[in-house]
Amino acid sequence: MSVFEDRFRARYGASEVPVPAASSALIEQLLTHKSVRAYRPDPVSDDQLSAIIAAAESAASSSNLQVWSVVAVRSQATRDALAECAGGQVHVREAPLQLVWLADLARLEMISTALERPNAALDYTEMFVTAVIDAALAAQNATAAAESLGLSTVYIGGMRNRPEEVAALLGLPPKVFAVFGMCVGYEDDARPASVKPRPPQSVVLHRERYSLADQQAGIDAYNAAMAAFYTEQKMNVRGDWGIHSSKRIAGPETLSGRDRLVDALHALGFSLK
Ligand SMILES: Cc1cc2nc3c(=O)[nH]c(=O)nc-3n(C[C@H](O)[C@H](O)[C@H](O)COP(=O)(O)O)c2cc1C
């Protein structure tokens, strides 16, 4: 079996899945992605950071507005404080570098104000969504780039648990919001992570028209694959993927404080009209 076939099957946690004839070194690398939550203290160099940021900046940007930024945090004290904001996640303390990805409308506000031009569109939800998309696209390029350098990452959505505190810690001006953090560092081989299976393509790929009903067989297969994965990984997850995901959306109390996100965004200067 080729490396590509091996990785393709591992991605779906299935030996039966048909492997496509099209492949590339990039796809082969993307197939190995795994979130890592155990890091060695070895630092990420400034050269590595610069290469990662060049990859991030290579992402597309809506109308080339570049409404995103990123704060690179190496300070242990700040990482500890960010870890607390994110629900006490130990890997945020542990990873030597935390990249906090920002939806950033402040830069355009500053530029347009200096040009004495109106900028009322910044107050609309559309511009907020645009900035979140820009930040996410840049961040995912950064993840792939970091992994290609032998580094590991994990996104930290917990950064949205207490947005105002994160903003204060990082000195964010109004109209800048931390969309998520990202641990970057070298995986501790003594505590390795595994590639987590994904739903079969029949769940996510629709041809010409969307269908919910056509997804059921794939969802059933994925539930079985994830139940096996949870057991194999000795993860403390009861039931299967559907049950696990349903618990996560049960109500506002399951959102780790993010049920008040709209209020937080208003406080941070986003009108969301
Ligand atoms: C936007 C975003 C936020 C996430 N937030 C967290 C987080 O706060 N803590 C964490 O341990 N993992 C977090 N993750 C990682 C997901 O749990 C992980 O990507 C998912 O379980 C799939 O596993 P994999 O990345 O290993 O394939 C986040 C992922 C994304 C995309």
Side-chain angles (χ1 to χ4, degrees), residues 65-250:
L65 292 179
Q66 304 291 345
V67 275
W68 67 279
S69 293
V70 59
V71 181
V73 178
R74 297 187 191 277
S75 147
Q76 184 68 60
T78 311
R79 275 157 43 210
D80 288 351
L82 290 172
E84 276 319 297
C85 288
Q89 298 194 45
V90 176
H91 34 282
V92 177
R93 293 180 192 281
E94 203 176 59
L97 175 64
Q98 182 66 213
L99 295 179
V100 185
W101 298 89
L102 308 172
D104 182 354
L105 299 181
R107 182 167 44 238
L108 277 189
E109 183 179 50
M110 180 178 75
I111 291 168
S112 56
T113 302
L115 291 170
E116 296 179 0
R117 288 176 171 267
N119 54 30
L122 294 178
D123 289 335
Y124 285 79
T125 303
E126 165 60 16
M127 282 306 307
F128 173 73
V129 171
T130 299
V132 169
I133 293 170
D134 265 15
L137 297 180
Q140 183 53 30
N141 264 16
T143 277
E147 290 174 349
S148 78
L149 293 173
L151 293 158
S152 294
T153 69
V154 61
Y155 283 92
I156 303 297
M159 225 49 93
R160 297 192 302 276
N161 293 4
R162 287 148 62 177
E164 296 98 328
E165 285 175 59
V166 170
L169 274 168
L170 301 179
L172 307 184
K175 292 192 171 57
V176 181
F177 167 63
V179 181
F180 41 67
M182 180 186 284
C183 299
V184 187
Y186 290 97
E187 180 173 27
D188 180 354
D189 296 332
R191 299 172 287 163
S194 298
V195 168
K196 191 183 278 182
R198 294 295 193 256
Q201 294 193 359
S202 62
V203 173
V204 298
L205 173 63
H206 303 256
R207 297 187 190 269
E208 315 310 333
R209 281 180 68 80
Y210 180 90
S211 166
L212 262 181
D214 290 352
Q215 298 175 40
Q216 196 54 54
I219 292 169
D220 293 344
Y222 190 50
N223 277 331
M226 285 305 287
F229 180 79
Y230 297 145
T231 307
E232 182 191 300
Q233 298 294 312
K234 301 186 174 63
M235 286 169 74
N236 188 22
V237 180
R238 290 229 191 100
D240 56 28
W241 174 73
I243 294 169
H244 174 64
S245 303
S246 296
K247 284 184 184 164
R248 182 71 175 71
I249 58 166

